[in-house]
Amino acid sequence: MAGMGAGPDHLFNLRNQFYLGAYQTAINNSEIRNLSPEDAVERDCLVFRSYIALGSYQLVISEIDESAATPLQAVKLLAMYLSSPANKESTISSLREWLADPTIGNNATLRLVAGVVFMHEEDYSEALKHTHAGGTMDLHALNVQIFIKMHRTDYAEKQLGVMQQYDEDHTLTQLATAWFNLAVGGSKIQEAYLIFQDFCEKYPMTCLILNGKAVCCMQMGNFDEAETLLLEALNKDAKDPETLANLVVCSLHVGKSSSRYLSQLKLSHPEHVLVKRVSSAEDNFERAVQSVA
């Protein structure tokens, strides 16, 4: 798996910042000396994926040129896919072409991007075709997410087992455990809450950590605490789609208007699942929100 080599792991902190949603911090701290060529490519991928997470698609598209390594070309494809719904089809056909090329088709970053793109398309079996073999912690974590979306927690649990066997304390193992616990529900939600609480104590707060904790609170019926956490997340990033979507749900439960959050979500993320469900005529607003919650 990635990072299994002997010797110091120069990218450990950078990876952690990316996984926990500290995207700007990752970008700011990416000048790392004495990297091997392979590590330098991974570093650049993490930086460009951080820019993608911040919505800076055009920057990624313009900075990665034709001569860049395959993993970087794959990250550029992801930026192209997310930046332009109109050109989605051509981006997906390029992706399929590359995956079919025996010289690069098995590249872990390309497979990861394929998994992310097809998961966005809700074509889970196509996503798994490329991610299921695993090989990196990122791919296993993505498999957990895909299986959860398919409501197959049994398969998600197997992937989680592989991650735990490799490194129980790895940030992605902890995150995937929390997602799994939230999907299973019941008494597991408290366990998920404790994982996010642990992140809060170890690392600077990010929207990702705050939202994770808030979702646990909502599932346990603690909507006041959830609202406090979500407003703190909103302070960090007023356009974060998950924060806005969770605030829509949370506001309904604490008896406040959610229309402003929904308007912001519509403006900044018209493709968000909540926006789509609310705007489809056959669904009334309350039911749409419940289905997402």
Side-chain angles (χ1 to χ4, degrees), residues 124 143-157 180 183-184 277 291:
Y124 300 125
N143 286 334
V144 171
Q145 284 181 298
I146 294 168
F147 285 130
I148 287 171
K149 283 190 180 292
M150 293 170 77
H151 306 291
R152 291 306 303 260
T153 48
D154 51 341
Y155 285 127
E157 192 167 17
F180 173 76
V184 172
R277 288 199 183 154
S291 69

Side-chain angles (χ1 to χ4, degrees), residues 34 47 66 76 89 96 107 120 196-197 205 209 238 282:
N34 307 324
V47 168
E66 294 306 306
K76 181 177 183 173
E89 292 315 310
R96 287 185 193 277
N107 179 274
H120 264 270
F196 288 114
Q197 181 59 39
M205 293 274 207
I209 296 172
E282 76 278 1

Side-chain angles (χ1 to χ4, degrees), residues 136-175:
T136 68
M137 290 300 262
D138 284 76
L139 281 163
H140 286 294
L142 187 59
N143 286 334
V144 171
Q145 284 181 298
I146 294 168
F147 285 130
I148 287 171
K149 283 190 180 292
M150 293 170 77
H151 306 291
R152 291 306 303 260
T153 48
D154 51 341
Y155 285 127
E157 192 167 17
K158 281 184 188 145
Q159 289 290 320
L160 197 52
V162 174
M163 295 176 79
Q164 285 166 339
Q165 223 169 351
Y166 170 59
D167 182 356
E168 209 170 349
D169 298 323
H170 195 290
T171 300
L172 278 180
T173 309
Q174 293 296 311
L175 274 174

Side-chain angles (χ1 to χ4, degrees), residues 153-266:
T153 48
D154 51 341
Y155 285 127
E157 192 167 17
K158 281 184 188 145
Q159 289 290 320
L160 197 52
V162 174
M163 295 176 79
Q164 285 166 339
Q165 223 169 351
Y166 170 59
D167 182 356
E168 209 170 349
D169 298 323
H170 195 290
T171 300
L172 278 180
T173 309
Q174 293 296 311
L175 274 174
T177 304
W179 302 329
F180 173 76
N181 287 340
L182 274 168
V184 172
S187 60
K188 289 280 185 193
I189 294 168
Q190 182 64 32
E191 291 176 36
Y193 179 88
L194 292 173
I195 290 173
F196 288 114
Q197 181 59 39
D198 192 43
F199 283 142
C200 288
E201 287 162 15
K202 280 191 197 160
Y203 302 104
M205 293 274 207
T206 63
C207 286
L208 187 145
I209 296 172
L210 288 162
N211 273 282
K213 203 170 163 187
V215 169
C216 297
C217 290
M218 289 199 285
Q219 299 248 24
M220 294 189 287
N222 304 340
F223 293 99
D224 291 332
E225 185 185 346
E227 187 187 29
T228 305
L229 292 162
L230 292 169
L231 291 173
E232 192 180 334
L234 196 65
N235 269 336
K236 291 186 180 298
D237 180 357
K239 286 187 174 149
D240 180 66
E242 293 318 305
T243 306
L244 290 167
N246 285 328
L247 273 166
V248 170
V249 177
C250 193
S251 300
L252 284 178
H253 285 279
V254 293
K256 295 180 182 173
S257 167
S258 58
S259 57
R260 193 188 331 147
Y261 302 128
L262 189 60
S263 304
Q264 280 173 284
L265 188 60
K266 277 180 185 163

